[in-house]
Amino acid sequence: MQICRFNDNRLGLVDGDKVKDVTSALDVLPAQHYPLPTHDLMIANLPHVREAITTVAKGAKSYALSDVRLLSPIANPGKIIAAPVNYKKHLDEARADPQIHHQNQIAEIQRVGLFLKATSSLVGPSESVTIRHPDRRTDHEIELAAIIGTRADRVTREQALAHVAGYCIGFDITVRGPEERSLRKSIDSYTVLGPWLTTADSVADPSSLDLRLTVGGEVRQQANTRDLIIGIADLIVFATSFYTLMPGDVLLTGTPEGVGPIKPGEVMDATISGLGSMRVEVRQLSPARH
Ligand code: MN
């Protein structure tokens, strides 16, 4: 099943080139009171929501996919976790290019571990990436994003993938420089998820998916998740040895070789096999709102 969020927080069932408005399926979610949970409510109740989607989809209003504004399929992740340099060829290119690694020691992911991005950096494809420091180099990074479905604490490799609700295309947009990754990658709009959530039961093998990113029609990144240094299950094992993963937590699995700069006015098109395609514009920052 492919589930999107669109327009004014509508819930959609993706069916070919159509979106069915199944927002009323969210009526199955339990009422919430302050303080709100630290997980994503829709993902935490996904089995019930899926049943309701199937029911309400019959007779639901339908839109052309090309006519809707796609939002992040995950509304309220508690954590956005990301893997640094997790493809061998990207490690080689990062080591070779002083503009990418600056003074940072680029190390194997086994030594560096994972980092966190602010949840406030998250947008959907229709919301664009807005360049925050136009005087500095900002790079695109396409990544497979795994969305955690159920609470996971100190899991084994055998258990790990059963905790995944589904997958999306993820962008880990990055301003290059010497600061900590969590600062440079947490800029507003520097995490993009889309075009929708493809539930795990619809992804035969997440460890052999083709990724492709073009900028202005030029292919910049093209790889396959089989080339991950640490695969999805082992990333979950590693993450849950430090902290508990909750429903809706996002795991960005690392970008392959081919990262490069983006500028306002450019258009990124991304595809991951089986997960769909998304177009994301790069915009210039407008004056600050106070
Ligand atoms: Mn990345």
Side-chain angles (χ1 to χ4, degrees):
M1 185 178 278
Q2 296 189 306
I3 304 165
C4 71
R5 293 179 58 254
F6 70 101
N7 293 354
D8 184 16
N9 295 309
R10 310 300 295 177
L11 189 73
L13 175 64
V14 179
D15 181 12
D17 59 358
K18 297 272 194 294
V19 180
K20 290 180 173 170
D21 187 335
V22 292
T23 306
S24 63
L26 296 175
D27 293 349
V28 301
L29 297 182
Q32 296 300 312
H33 301 283
Y34 181 84
L36 297 174
T38 57
H39 60 249
D40 184 275
L41 201 56
M42 198 264 280
I43 300 298
N45 293 278
L46 193 58
H48 291 122
V49 173
R50 287 185 63 166
E51 272 179 42
I53 287 174
T54 305
T55 305
V56 305
K58 304 175 185 108
K61 188 174 178 188
S62 186
Y63 297 85
L65 250 180
S66 54
D67 288 343
V68 304
R69 296 183 67 251
L70 290 169
L71 306 174
S72 166
I74 313 303
N76 299 119
K79 290 192 280 304
I80 300 174
I81 301 147
V85 283
N86 197 19
Y87 285 82
K88 181 66 171 65
K89 284 185 188 165
H90 177 49
L91 178 63
D92 294 342
E93 89 179 340
R95 281 180 165 151
D97 184 349
Q99 282 211 300
I100 295 179
H101 70 67
H102 280 257
Q103 302 310 312
N104 294 352
Q105 177 65 34
I106 297 291
E108 298 281 350
I109 182 172
Q110 288 91 338
R111 286 203 292 127
V112 175
L114 301 168
F115 62 94
L116 292 166
K117 300 186 70 165
T119 54
S120 53
S121 66
L122 179 61
V123 295
S126 70
E127 294 168 278
S128 305
V129 166
T130 303
I131 301 294
R132 191 88 174 188
H133 293 285
D135 52 322
R136 296 176 59 173
R137 175 173 158 179
T138 296
D139 280 7
H140 55 76
E141 294 190 356
I142 183 176
E143 315 202 356
L144 172 66
I147 311 303
I148 300 300
T150 50
R151 190 178 183 282
D153 178 19
R154 290 161 289 176
V155 302
T156 65
R157 189 181 197 188
E158 290 66 37
Q159 298 166 326
L161 290 183
H163 288 279
V164 175
Y167 300 91
C168 316
I169 304 174
F171 284 1
D172 174 22
I173 306 295
T174 305
V175 64
R176 297 296 173 194
E179 302 95 340
E180 291 285 341
R181 282 185 172 90
S182 66
L183 180 71
R184 293 183 287 106
K185 293 166 171 275
S186 286
I187 294 172
D188 296 354
S189 80
Y190 278 28
T191 305
V192 186
L193 285 182
W196 40 73
L197 176 74
T198 300
T199 56
D201 57 307
S202 297
V203 180
D205 184 6
S207 63
S208 74
L209 301 176
D210 288 318
L211 302 82
R212 183 179 142 106
L213 178 98
T214 66
V215 178
E218 176 198 337
V219 178
R220 293 276 189 89
Q221 293 186 275
Q222 193 158 20
N224 187 286
T225 56
R226 78 172 70 90
D227 296 324
L228 283 166
I229 296 171
I230 299 186
I232 303 155
D234 287 325
L235 287 172
I236 292 170
V237 171
F238 183 82
T240 64
S241 74
F242 285 83
Y243 37 60
T244 302
L245 296 179
M246 299 297 285
D249 281 359
V250 176
L251 176 60
L252 293 165
T253 55
T255 201
E257 66 280 8
V259 301
I262 47 172
K263 298 203 162 49
E266 291 185 321
V267 174
M268 297 179 280
D269 286 293
T271 301
I272 298 184
S273 49
L275 306 188
S277 300
M278 65 183 194
R279 169 165 286 192
V280 180
E281 294 175 5
V282 185
R283 288 203 186 150
Q284 189 172 314
L285 191 65
S286 50
R289 285 180 296 165
H290 297 287

